[in-house]
C-alpha cells in the first residue's frame, strides 16, 4: 500500500492577503500559487530553473518560484504579478511595459516585471548594465530585450514622478 504524504500547515501573505493552507512538503511555491491559490499569472516555462517565467518576490527578493518549496515560504510575504495593480490602477511597471511595447507574446512578462520591480525598488535610475543584470535570469524569446529595457527605463521615470 502506498504511503500517504502528510500535508503541512503554512501561513503566508500573498499580495497583501493573509493565507493559511495545507500543502505537501514536496509542493513547489509556483504550484501552490497556481494550483492552490489560482494565481495563474505566475508562469512555468521550463523544468530546469532556467527561464524565469515563474519569478515572484519573496520578502522583496526576486526568486524563481519553481526552485522554492511552498513550505520554505511559510511566514513570508509573496508578491505575484496579480499584486502589482492596486485599486484598479496599473502599476507604473505595467503601464510602462504597455506603452513601450516591452512584450510580445507576454509569457515571460510577469516574471520580468517582478525582476524589474526588485531592481527599481533598490535603484531608481538603473544603467543599462544594471538592467541587464537584473533580468539576467529571465528569458524572453520574442522581444530581443530592447523594448524591455525601454520599458524599465520608462517605469523608472514614472515611479520617480509618482
Ligand atoms: S519555470 Fe523556468 S525557471 Fe521556473
Ligand atoms: S514576450 Fe514572448 S517570451 Fe517574452
Amino acid at each position: 500500500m502506498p504511503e500517504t504524504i502528510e500535508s503541512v500547515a503554512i501561513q503566508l501573505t500573498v499580495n497583501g492577503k493573509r493565507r493559511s493552507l495545507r500543502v505537501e512538503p514536496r509542493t513547489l511555491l509556483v504550484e501552490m500559487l497556481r494550483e492552490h491559490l489560482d494565481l495563474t499569472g505566475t508562469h512555468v516555462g521550463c523544468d530546469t530553473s532556467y527561464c524565469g517565467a515563474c519569478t515572484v518576490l519573496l520578502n522583496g527578493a526576486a526568486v524563481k518560484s519553481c526552485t522554492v518549496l511552498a513550505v520554505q515560504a511559510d511566514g513570508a510575504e509573496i508578491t505575484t504579478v496579480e499584486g502589482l495593480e492596486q485599486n484598479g490602477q496599473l502599476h507604473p511597471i505595467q503601464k510602462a511595459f504597455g506603452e513601450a511595447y516591452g512584450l510580445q507574446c507576454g509569457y515571460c512578462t510577469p516574471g520580468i516585471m517582478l525582476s524589474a520591480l526588485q531592481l527599481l525598488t533598490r535603484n531608481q535610475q538603473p544603467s543599462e548594465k544594471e538592467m541587464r543584470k537584473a533580468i539576467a535570469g529571465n528569458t524572453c524569446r520574442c522581444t530581443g530585450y530592447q523594448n524591455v529595457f525601454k520599458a524599465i527605463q520608462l517605469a523608472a521615470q514614472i515611479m520617480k514622478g509618482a
Side-chain angles (χ1 to χ4, degrees):
M1 204 165 96
E3 269 183 51
T4 47
I5 299 167
E6 280 284 325
S7 64
V8 178
I10 59 170
Q11 289 198 327
L12 66 173
T13 304
V14 182
N15 300 331
K17 261 196 208 163
R18 294 282 289 160
R19 302 285 200 154
S20 301
L21 61 162
R22 297 191 73 87
V23 292
E24 288 185 4
R26 64 182 174 178
T27 304
L28 297 171
L29 179 57
V30 68
E31 244 180 295
M32 187 206 77
L33 293 168
R34 291 179 56 85
E35 291 167 27
H36 294 241
L37 301 180
D38 214 15
L39 295 170
T40 53
T42 303
H43 293 160
V44 178
C46 70
D47 56 10
T48 56
S49 58
Y50 171 76
C51 74
C54 61
T55 304
V56 300
L57 299 188
L58 187 152
N59 294 332
V63 296
K64 292 181 176 180
S65 59
C66 72
T67 65
V68 179
L69 293 167
V71 290
Q72 291 176 298
D74 188 22
E77 289 207 14
I78 305 290
T79 305
T80 71
V81 69
E82 290 89 348
L84 293 180
E85 181 188 315
Q86 294 288 321
N87 305 318
Q89 294 292 312
L90 291 180
H91 188 281
I93 291 177
Q94 292 173 304
K95 283 187 198 156
F97 270 74
E99 285 174 27
Y101 301 101
L103 66 147
Q104 288 180 26
C105 79
Y107 202 81
C108 66
T109 312
I112 292 191
M113 289 198 294
L114 288 159
S115 293
L117 178 58
Q118 173 187 246
L119 171 69
L120 296 176
T121 305
R122 297 172 180 185
N123 178 355
Q124 290 191 312
Q125 204 163 355
S127 63
E128 184 169 330
K129 194 172 167 194
E130 288 165 334
M131 288 191 284
R132 283 182 184 276
K133 191 168 174 207
I135 63 160
N138 297 91
T139 301
C140 175
R141 299 207 182 277
C142 304
T143 63
Y145 296 97
Q146 288 314 306
N147 284 0
V148 170
F149 297 134
K150 283 184 195 158
I152 297 173
Q153 272 168 339
L154 179 59
Q157 282 168 17
I158 303 173
M159 284 168 83
K160 271 192 282 177

